[in-house]
Every structure is written in structure tokens, then in C-alpha cells.
Amino acid sequence: MLTWGDWMDHPLGYETPYVDWFDILHDGRRGDKPEFVRQIVPRAADDFKSLDTGVDALAGAETAEPGPFVIRSPKFMTNTGFADWWNNRPDKQTWLPSADTFDYPTVEKDAVIIGIIDVGLALGHRRFRLEDGQTRVLGTWLQGAPVDGQGDVPEAAPHLPFGGHLFEAQINEALTQSSVGQDLKAPLDQDGFNRMAGLTNYSRPETERLLAGRASHGTHVMGLAGGADPDTAQGRAFGEKTRFLLVSLPPALAFGEGGTFLDFYLIYALRWLVEVNARIAEKSGLDRPRPMVVNASFGKHAGSKDGAQPFVNAMLHQGQSEPSAAQGVDEVTTRVPFHAVLPAGNSNLDRATAKFLLTPSESPQAEIDWVVQPDDETSNFLEVWCEETSDSAAGDCPLAIELVPPGQAPAREDAGADGQIQELFRTVATESVQQLARIYCQRIDPPSTEGGDVDAVRRFRYLLCLGPDRYRSDIWDNPPSGRWTVRLKNLSPDKPLSVSAMVQTDLPVMPGSSVTRAAYLDDPTYEKFTEDGRVRDTHDYRFRGLFQSTSEAADLDTGEFVKRHGTLNTYAANSTVATIAGYRANDGRPAAYSSTGRGIKAGPDARGAPTIALPTDDGYAHPGVLSDGASDGSVVAMQGTSFASAMATRMVVNAWLTRQHDPYGNIPINQFLAVTAQRQPAQEGWFKSPVEVTKVGAGRVVFDDRRSR
């Protein structure tokens, strides 16, 4: 028999529920496991002064000022002396070394910078080098590189909390040493270069080796965003004007289940890119940084869909900062407008989002099955958000919730309060119990109301955490797979509640091949296929005769609770970034897996639809788009909106080079890309049905630089 305990207070201090869950689960895991240590992360990209309380935060001390986040990172890649270095750094106005004290590379005054945050970035490819064989990469931060002195490249540094860095001169030296006859234009020993540069590591099971395979996500993105053949006139012209700044994120085990720590590595990555760009400009004698567009082809499914997510909040701060508002360490990041491109997401068909409108009642208004698949070696997470318009600042949640285990009858729905948890137990013996699950309750105010008129929308989030059903622990038991039922009831006496349920991203956490089986929400009214056997997308896209139809596309998202609307990538559902969806190039049909906007209450900093759509598939028989493979000279096809966002990044770069868009002006790249889409006519051979804004934004754009072989 499984039994829920009573709600009880559980102060998180500096941590988030995901971090707390990681701690209790990881500490109780039997057998060999990676060693994690505590590390500090600022709360926003322009708030690095919050690290000044870093040593106290690592010690668990409370301070009056908002402190940094404290995360868990793999020990092999973590600079455990970072907090001490920060608090004792010689120049309190800087994070990275100044241009006067560090050998940053230099750029020409007409260069354009392509910033990429990804994994598996192949620096040695010919398409990422100049005609003379030298690299186009100004610098890269390898966040997952070991820091235990196994080599001088990548170089560990006291100011880096994780991994090490490589700059242009070091990359060129490694390229020279790995080239036949030490001639940069001669063939490259790519495996040797990758090992020398720290791009692959075989000495530890936890470290990176994505480039040892056939395809690599980051290299594919890098090729679409900035790849150019230096042996052609067009490629040479593009390559001479464009440079890369790269951040290679650590291996998946560092992110934790559900992407627990991904936000925090991304916050550091974002800050490193904008600040290194500024330092390079200073070293080059320029009065301001060169234009840079940041491509971050990452995301999560569940979340607030606005600036309450830590990384989204960091991007909003970066995009809204003004030089006059910057102080000390923050000022260097505000000398050029912030430009970023993110994917819409690929979870449109994952049955991972449900919507409810609950009226006051004495009985539960909604039940939905959360299906947990068998043999899952990772935790499963479900976020349940509720919104209530109220002038009350009380910490009580107006939504009662119950998670009913498979095969058991409902017991009762209870509401938690801000900062409380509830735990699920299995009785093992008369006097002993084992835990299986936990529910966290938190009040999370919309960031757009901070310091403004609070009308006030109270938002609460329940985070439902289930341990793996294949798991060995002395503390936590294996919850059963199958249908867990979520029961919801509105406790408000007179106000309706808008409720969203979202299944969180599922990531492997152990070295090697952890078995991840994503859970999903099951709704009997949800239809997976259309009447003619096609995968059912958000809208009906049919051929409607020879002429363009003027009627609206039928909405196929008619399930009672489970929705495709609102599946937009949590990181990309904000006003600061360009959000890119996908479509099929041969007939213009939107990619069914490309996530859809709407369905989320959009505040001033939120987004209800993608910006535009770019190709993610060449055709029905040719899924994916072509770009660089893991090996130099190889071409592979990969599928997803990550690669549409890389194409949009290249569009922005080309617009800057041809002066069609001013990177220092007041027109954001969102608006530029939308206008470009609106001006492009539908292509010959595309289907005639209208395409909805919530699916493709302002429209579909033909990408002229798409590779055909």
C-alpha cells in the first residue's frame, strides 16, 4: 500500500525543488556514481555581483541580500576554488581578465561574431577555417573539460567555474601540430587534434566524446550558422568577415534528470560570450563590441513560459539592460544590443501539455492519467501551474491536488502552501517505510509584475517528482510504472483557476547509455492521426484545389485536456529572442513535431507564437536537413527546430554583412525576420492551405544557403 503523508514545511534556501530532488536521489543511489560538488551560479547574466556571497552560500549560510544559486556539478570538471577566487580577486570590477592583462585575440572592425552554445563542436573542420588554414574560432569555453591537470589544452583558469578555455592562438597551434608536415593547408589528423584540444576525452567514462560518432548536434548547427568552404570565392568572402565564439556545454550527466542544472550552465555561457566579445573589442582598439548573434539550440518542455525560468530571466536582463543602468562588472555586457535565436522545440506530438479551466466546486473538476513507462532509469517530473487573480498575498495554494498510484483508489485532494512538500511512502515493515515520490509547492510571481502594479496574479507550481522504476537505493524505493492519476480541485470560493500540466524533459544522468523513457499524459479524447492516416498536427494542412484557400485552417487540437497548443520551448517562449519553427521544404507543410504557441497566458515578456519557420526537413522521404557531420568533409542529415534556428542565425549574419539590418539599431532581429517572412511569396508546389501564426509565426522563409549535397 502506498500512502501520502501530510504537507510539511521544507525550506529550500538557495536551492530549487529540482536541485533538492537531485540531492536526495543521488545521495541514496547505490553502486558507482559520479562525484558531484557544490558550485555557485549568479541569478542573472547581469547580476554577477550576487557571487560576492558565494563562499557563504557554499557553506550554507543565509544572507540578507539575494544570494547566488548553489548547484551540483561533476567534480572532474569543477573548479572547487572558484568561490574563494571570486571573493579575493584583485579587480572587483571584472569577472574575466581585462584586455590589458590577458592575450585575447583581435578582430577587424567589420567582423561579425557568431556565438554558439551547444555540444560536440568540431573546431578542426575545413569549413570553419580560413583559406590559409587558420581557425575562424576566436575562442571556446569547454565547460565539461577535466580540470585535474591532465593537459595544458584546454587551459584551466581560476576565473572559470568549470572546465577550460581555448583561444585562437591555442587552436591554431593544435591545428599545426596535428597537420601533415605541420602545414595548416595539409590534411588534418582529426582524431589527434580532437584529443589534443580536449574535444574528446577517453580517459574517463563521464567526459565528452560526441565527435567520435557520425553526427554531432553542435557541428551540424555550426555548419548551418557559419560554415563556409574557403576554397570557393563565396566561401572565402563569408569566412573572412565572420568569426565564431563558442561554448561547449558539459556532458548530459552534468544537467541532471529533467535538465535540473542546464539553466545555470547556460547563464554562465551567455555571460562568457557577451563579455569575451567585449574584451576582444577592447584588445582590437574598437570603441564597442562587434555585432554578435547567439544561437542556443537547447530548451525544456515544462516551465513558466516567461521570465521566471532562470536562463530566460538572464536573457531578459541581458536584452533589457542599458549602459546607464550597468554598474561595475555589469557594464561591459551592455555596449551592444543583445541578439539571440532559439528553437521552437520538437515536443508538439509528445502529449506533454494539458490545460484545465476549473470553476469553484465541492468535487474534483479534472482527472488525467500520467503514464510512466516501464524500465525507466531516470526520474519523471510533472509541473502543475495554477493562476488566480487575487489581491491576496497569502501563501496558500487555491488548487488541491492528489497523485493516485496505479491500481489504487483515490483518497483525498489536499492543497499545499508556499514552501511545503508532501511525500509518498510504501510500508516495508511494521516500523519502516520507503519513499517513492515527492510533491513540492511553490508560489512563483510573474517577473513582469516586480516593482510594478500588482493586480495581482498569484501563481503556484506543484512539482511532482517520481523516482526511477529501475533504481537501487537504500533510501528511495522504486515507484511502479503505469497510470498515475492526477486529480485537481479548485478551492477558491468564487474565482475560476487556469491550470496547466506539463511533463518535464527527460535526460540521462549516468555515464554511458541510461535508459530514458519519457512519461506522457493520456487523454481519451486526444487523437494521434487524421482520418486519412496522417500524423495529426495542430491544424489541418490539406491541398485545397489549385488556388490558395482563404479560409482558416481547421484546428485539430480538440482534445479535452491534452493539447499541442502551448508546447513552445520554455527557453524560447519570451520576447527577447527570435523563436524558430520548422517546415518541410518540398511542399511547405509545417513539421508536425515543431512546437506550437498559444495555450499559455502571455505576459509582457512572454511569447504566444514562433517568430518564423525555416526548413527542418527536405521532403517526406528525406527527413532532416543536410549540414556538417562529426568528421571533416562529411555531410549528414539531422532533423529538428535546432537546425532551423541555426539557419535563422545565418540569415541575421548575412543581413548584417549586406547592411540590410543594423545590429546597433532599434529594430530587433525578431521584427527583421518577421518582415522577411511576410515579404516572401509562397513557393511553387507548396500546399494551398493557410498556415496559422501559432504554428509558423509570421511565415515560412526559404533558406538560400541550404546544402543540397
Side-chain angles (χ1 to χ4, degrees), residues 15 34-35 193 211-212 219 229 263 320 367 381 422 434 441 451 546 560 590 597 611-612 638 651 654 660 680 692:
E15 300 176 341
E35 184 177 358
F193 169 77
L211 296 181
T219 303
D229 186 354
D263 281 70
Q320 296 168 357
E367 291 186 0
F381 302 95
Q422 189 180 33
Q434 285 187 323
C441 181
L546 298 178
E560 184 178 6
T611 305
I612 61 169
M638 296 184 73
M651 284 180 58
N654 283 331
Q660 297 178 52
Q680 268 199 5
E692 294 299 308

Side-chain angles (χ1 to χ4, degrees), residues 34 204-207 209 251-253 377 508-516:
R204 296 174 178 272
E206 307 99 327
T207 49
R209 51 179 64 92
L253 72 94
E377 295 181 345
V509 294
M510 299 297 288
S513 56
S514 295
V515 177
T516 60

Side-chain angles (χ1 to χ4, degrees), residues 7-8 103 117 193 217 340 356 370 372 534 538 571 700 708:
W7 285 98
M8 58 184 178
D103 191 20
I117 304 172
F193 169 77
H217 187 279
F356 311 90
W370 180 26
V372 175
R534 294 180 183 271
T538 315
Y571 289 155
R700 295 155 292 174
S708 59

Side-chain angles (χ1 to χ4, degrees), residues 515-692:
V515 177
T516 60
R517 301 186 187 279
Y520 61 92
L521 299 170
D522 193 29
D523 178 352
T525 65
Y526 181 92
E527 297 180 65
K528 297 174 64 175
F529 302 99
T530 61
E531 59 186 16
D532 57 359
R534 294 180 183 271
V535 172
R536 191 178 178 100
D537 198 349
T538 315
H539 299 283
D540 183 16
Y541 305 114
R542 297 184 179 185
F543 290 88
R544 298 185 180 179
L546 298 178
F547 301 99
Q548 181 72 37
S549 170
T550 58
S551 62
E552 293 184 1
D555 190 344
L556 301 180
D557 200 19
T558 54
E560 184 178 6
F561 295 134
V562 175
K563 301 293 183 181
R564 298 171 182 86
H565 283 297
T567 53
L568 206 63
N569 172 8
T570 295
Y571 289 155
N574 73 87
S575 60
T576 298
V577 303
T579 299
I580 313 302
Y583 73 90
R584 202 160 66 195
N586 70 325
D587 61 6
R589 183 181 295 275
Y593 55 80
S594 181
S595 294
T596 308
R598 211 181 65 197
I600 299 294
K601 187 174 181 179
D605 295 327
R607 174 182 294 283
T611 305
I612 61 169
L614 280 157
T616 51
D617 299 279
D618 283 335
Y620 180 81
H622 297 280
V625 291
L626 298 176
S627 184
D628 296 86
S631 298
D632 188 16
S634 67
V635 178
V636 298
M638 296 184 73
Q639 184 182 56
T641 56
S642 290
F643 310 115
S645 69
M647 295 179 196
T649 298
R650 195 182 190 106
M651 284 180 58
V652 172
V653 169
N654 283 331
W656 290 347
L657 293 174
T658 56
R659 299 186 179 181
Q660 297 178 52
H661 180 260
D662 180 7
Y664 301 108
N666 296 322
I667 299 176
I669 59 173
N670 276 330
Q671 184 176 338
F672 166 76
L673 292 171
V675 170
T676 301
Q678 291 163 354
R679 290 176 176 173
Q680 268 199 5
Q683 300 298 294
E684 187 68 27
W686 281 7
F687 65 92
K688 306 302 180 181
S689 176
V691 182
E692 294 299 308

Side-chain angles (χ1 to χ4, degrees), residues 263-285:
D263 281 70
F264 309 119
Y265 292 107
L266 289 169
I267 288 173
Y268 268 122
L270 174 64
R271 178 57 185 262
W272 188 88
L273 288 173
V274 295
E275 190 156 337
V276 167
N277 187 31
R279 302 290 183 206
I280 289 173
E282 292 176 3
K283 196 76 172 182
S284 305

